[in-house]
Amino acid sequence: MCPDRQLLSVYHDGELPSPWREKLEAHVSECSTCQERLSVYNRVSQGLLAPQTQADEGALTGRLMVSNDRLEEAKSRVWKNLYRSINARTPAPSVQVWRRPLTIPVPAAVAAVLVVAFLAALIGGPLTVQKQTDQAIARIGSQVQGVVPVSDMSGVLKYLQSQDNSTDIVIIRLPENNKFVPSGEPSIIRAADYTRSNAP
Amino acid sequence: MAEFRRLYDTVFPILFRVAYRITASEDAAEDLCQDAFFRLYEKGMTFPNQDEAKYWLIRVVKNAALNYAKRKDRERKAYQRAFREDHRVQETGETVFLKNETKNEVKEAMDRLPENLRTVLILKEYGELNYKEIGRALGISEGNVKVRVFRARERLAELMGKDGAYVS
């Protein structure tokens, strides 16, 4: 009974270990089918290792596709090029860190500036505005306490007369909010005019 | 550098034969080998032993050569389409020519093999590597290499038989 064909392939490659190799050889010597199969494998290998073109024929030796001479030529040529490339790429002697020029791509630099500006606005902006608002409200609240309301104009006049013009106090009620109209008459003046015209 | 030179002297012949077989061009084979060695040196790669470096180089050159061959094949087909050339092989009655054709038939049949079978056979026949080395280079088991080499041979014999080549 013939062995598996795969064993013949392994034998052809010289990779069949010892006890099996001898057994297979003994079988093949008596079996024409296995001999034929082995010869097929041999022809496949020979066909693959044959010269690629007729021009190559003269220069080739043995079972190698490339002649040893040409292989050696290629080897020294490639080494020469390789050596040159490696030397060209060898890094220059190290430079001190602070003297080393730093190159940043323009988009990266712009992005960095934008990030810094955004962070500055985020941290500094609201705090500053908040501080100003708090200050204004606190000052007004503390001074206005206990004063006669402006709406009671006659009361104010009486108060001023009772002070005998010795004090120079004029109190004007400020609007409820501080959102002044940027153009035109300030509402603070109009409120005072309106109060005065209606007073008598 | 001395170690690198030793590795180069040992591995270059294998790489060159494999690359030459796949690309069918000495210039391309030289370029691919040079690129592979340069990459190894430039990246400062370290390997536990020389064999591992050899397997890495074989892998790199094999892949690069296959890519090169595919690119060239695409270019060739594009030119053929562009010039509408007729590339049918002319038959001759000469026995010498037929024998040469037989040799070429084997290689043509080889090119028609699937890549996984073709690669192991190339490394076996042209790289002169054993099953173990091929397995390490391709990242597959030794048993797998054995099976692939066998299937590749069987497929070649079959393809050549169909084409009426001299292999029976």
Side-chain angles (χ1 to χ4, degrees), chain A residues 4-6 9-10 12-13 15 36-37 40-41 43-45 47-52 54 56-57 63-66 68 70-71 73-79 81-83 85-86 89, chain B residues 1 4-5 8-9 12-13 16-17 20-21 24 26 30 34 37-38 41-42 100 103-104 106-107 110 121 124-126 128 130-131 146-147 149-150 153-154 156-157 160 166-168:
Chain A
D4 191 272
R5 278 182 174 185
Q6 194 178 315
S9 171
V10 175
H12 172 76
D13 288 329
E15 300 233 14
E36 182 57 32
R37 186 44 54 178
V40 168
Y41 292 158
R43 286 180 210 174
V44 167
S45 294
L48 289 173
L49 296 166
Q52 193 132 20
Q54 283 186 326
D56 286 340
E57 199 115 27
R63 61 189 295 265
L64 304 178
M65 277 190 61
V66 186
N68 285 336
R70 280 159 67 182
L71 187 66
E73 281 172 23
K75 192 173 154 188
S76 61
R77 202 162 39 235
V78 170
W79 177 256
N81 291 338
L82 197 59
Y83 192 75
S85 311
I86 288 171
R89 279 293 187 93
Chain B
M1 196 64 178
F4 181 66
R5 178 71 208 234
Y8 178 83
D9 287 342
F12 181 84
F16 189 75
R17 280 186 208 123
Y20 180 54
R21 169 60 192 93
E26 280 192 26
E30 283 185 21
Q34 187 181 321
F37 278 107
F38 186 68
Y41 188 88
E42 190 190 30
N100 279 333
K103 287 171 183 173
N104 289 336
V106 182
K107 285 168 188 161
M110 175 86 148
L121 205 55
K124 178 73 214 154
E125 300 287 7
Y126 301 103
E128 298 179 320
N130 60 34
Y131 290 161
K146 206 181 290 181
V147 172
V149 168
F150 168 67
R153 277 204 185 103
E154 287 283 313
L156 277 188
M160 284 155 37
Y166 277 74
V167 179
S168 57

Side-chain angles (χ1 to χ4, degrees), chain A residues 17-184:
Chain A
S18 188
W20 310 108
R21 188 174 61 234
E22 287 80 14
K23 283 186 181 179
L24 189 80
E25 280 169 351
H27 171 81
V28 168
S29 64
E30 295 172 357
C31 176
S32 60
T33 313
C34 289
Q35 283 171 12
E36 182 57 32
R37 186 44 54 178
L38 270 180
S39 74
V40 168
Y41 292 158
N42 280 329
R43 286 180 210 174
V44 167
S45 294
Q46 281 166 10
L48 289 173
L49 296 166
Q52 193 132 20
T53 61
Q54 283 186 326
D56 286 340
E57 199 115 27
L60 297 176
T61 56
R63 61 189 295 265
L64 304 178
M65 277 190 61
V66 186
S67 73
N68 285 336
D69 288 346
R70 280 159 67 182
L71 187 66
E72 283 303 316
E73 281 172 23
K75 192 173 154 188
S76 61
R77 202 162 39 235
V78 170
W79 177 256
K80 215 178 283 176
N81 291 338
L82 197 59
Y83 192 75
R84 204 180 303 136
S85 311
I86 288 171
N87 279 345
R89 279 293 187 93
T90 307
S94 62
V95 186
Q96 285 183 0
V97 174
W98 296 110
R99 290 186 182 176
R100 189 177 295 167
L102 182 66
T103 53
I104 302 172
V106 173
V110 171
V113 168
L114 287 176
V115 166
V116 169
F118 176 74
L119 287 176
L122 199 69
I123 297 165
L127 284 179
T128 319
V129 173
Q130 192 70 28
K131 206 173 175 183
Q132 285 176 351
T133 313
D134 289 352
Q135 227 173 10
I137 289 170
R139 195 173 295 164
I140 289 167
S142 61
Q143 289 179 357
V144 168
Q145 277 179 356
V147 176
V148 179
V150 179
S151 55
D152 184 12
M153 214 51 189
S154 55
V156 172
L157 291 172
K158 281 177 188 171
Y159 171 76
L160 288 173
Q161 282 169 359
S162 68
Q163 294 297 314
D164 202 16
N165 291 334
S166 60
T167 51
D168 189 17
I169 300 170
V170 176
I171 296 175
I172 298 169
R173 183 191 176 93
L174 292 173
E176 292 298 328
N177 55 27
N178 60 355
K179 289 178 183 170
F180 301 118
V181 183
S183 61

Side-chain angles (χ1 to χ4, degrees), chain B residues 128-140:
Chain B
E128 298 179 320
L129 302 174
N130 60 34
Y131 290 161
K132 189 182 172 188
E133 289 174 319
I134 295 171
R136 296 295 293 275
L138 298 180
I140 56 177

